[in-house]
Amino acid sequence: MAQSAIDAFKDTQSLAKKESLQRLDLKDNSTFNTAGCLGEIQVGVIVIEVLAKTPVFSSDNVRHDIMSRVLSGDVKLQDVERNDKRRHKHTHYSTILRPFEDLLYSLRCRMKVNFDFLERFYIGMKDKRDQIVQQELFRCFRVYANLFCKTDSADLLKNQGMLNMLKLHEARQYLEMQKADSYSGILSYLSNQSSLKQWKRSPDSMHSF
């Protein structure tokens, strides 16, 4: 179902881009449809939430990190199965997941691409409908960040030789969580800070307390 939904949302977004180019030729200023990008992100969130409840990826921080690496394409399912002490109990889950390896390994990348695109698209948007979409986008990003922008596994700290790599990895995770790993994210942050400073300087802002 997730694969079918993602394919459908990709088609939707592709069609929206074609329609946008046609409207550009006709000088039509209609709003660009981003439902495909948001829909693909929402499906990604559902996949993450479902996987987090399966024994293969649940129970402890180590398994949380394994799921993060699988959905980033860094670890293959067969490697997870081979190193799983409970692999005989989990064989059924691995059998179900294996046909969807392409979807799983590219999930983080696809979500990141769509987050970055929508981040650029919604900079400066003030329309109420756009703000509702941005709230949903923020909800989805929190799920994404909780999985991909944290390193909780104590096992990673046992190897002293990995400490420098781990620090660099955590720094990158922090930047991504703060949306400071892209031009649009930094621009959005600076825009929000500027608006906050202007609000604080405004005499009218004191009456809101």
Side-chain angles (χ1 to χ4, degrees):
M1 290 175 66
Q3 181 68 71
S4 297
I6 286 175
D7 290 341
F9 282 123
K10 284 181 179 179
D11 291 341
T12 298
Q13 201 58 51
S14 177
L15 181 61
K17 289 179 180 179
K18 291 179 181 178
E19 291 177 346
S20 177
L21 292 174
Q22 291 174 355
R23 289 199 300 268
L24 188 63
D25 292 336
L26 298 172
K27 297 183 179 180
D28 182 350
N29 295 322
S30 300
T31 304
F32 180 66
N33 184 0
T34 61
C37 291
L38 179 60
E40 192 175 345
I41 288 173
Q42 289 172 317
V43 173
V45 167
I46 293 172
V47 170
I48 289 171
E49 291 174 340
V50 169
L51 290 179
K53 295 178 181 179
T54 63
V56 178
F57 296 118
S58 64
S59 302
D60 54 37
N61 290 334
V62 175
R63 291 190 178 278
H64 172 279
D65 293 338
I66 290 173
M67 183 168 79
S68 172
R69 297 179 69 189
V70 168
L71 298 183
S72 298
D74 297 330
V75 173
K76 306 303 180 185
L77 287 174
Q78 55 264 36
D79 296 327
V80 175
E81 187 175 8
R82 182 170 58 251
N83 297 319
D84 190 352
K85 296 178 181 179
R86 304 174 184 173
R87 59 179 173 273
H88 297 298
K89 291 184 178 180
H90 298 163
T91 299
H92 176 64
Y93 296 97
S94 300
T95 301
I96 293 172
L97 292 174
R98 209 171 292 123
F100 303 101
E101 288 180 310
D102 290 343
L103 182 154
L104 298 176
Y105 299 157
S106 64
L107 190 74
R108 178 182 184 175
C109 179
R110 287 297 310 168
M111 292 182 74
K112 177 64 174 158
V113 167
N114 286 312
F115 275 126
D116 287 348
F117 172 77
L118 292 177
E119 183 75 29
R120 293 192 300 271
F121 182 81
Y122 283 113
I123 289 178
M125 292 286 190
K126 301 298 182 182
D127 186 89
K128 186 174 181 180
R129 289 173 298 179
D130 293 328
Q131 290 177 358
I132 293 174
V133 172
Q134 290 182 67
Q135 289 175 0
E136 172 62 10
L137 198 60
F138 179 71
R139 180 192 72 83
C140 293
F141 186 77
R142 280 188 301 179
V143 176
Y144 173 93
N146 285 334
L147 177 61
F148 296 117
C149 301
K150 292 182 179 180
T151 300
D152 299 322
S153 176
D155 283 7
L156 295 178
L157 300 175
K158 293 179 181 179
N159 187 337
Q160 292 296 318
M162 293 183 64
L163 281 178
N164 288 336
M165 292 179 61
L166 180 60
K167 289 179 181 178
L168 179 60
H169 177 63
E170 289 179 334
R172 288 173 175 166
Q173 286 181 320
Y174 176 79
L175 289 175
E176 186 173 2
M177 182 180 287
Q178 301 302 318
K179 297 186 178 181
D181 62 331
S182 65
Y183 173 78
S184 58
I186 294 173
L187 183 60
S188 178
Y189 173 80
L190 294 175
S191 176
N192 290 336
Q193 289 298 307
S194 177
S195 298
L196 181 61
K197 288 179 180 178
Q198 290 178 1
W199 179 82
K200 286 182 177 180
R201 292 194 189 110
S202 172
D204 294 336
S205 65
M206 298 302 295
H207 298 296
S208 63
F209 288 97

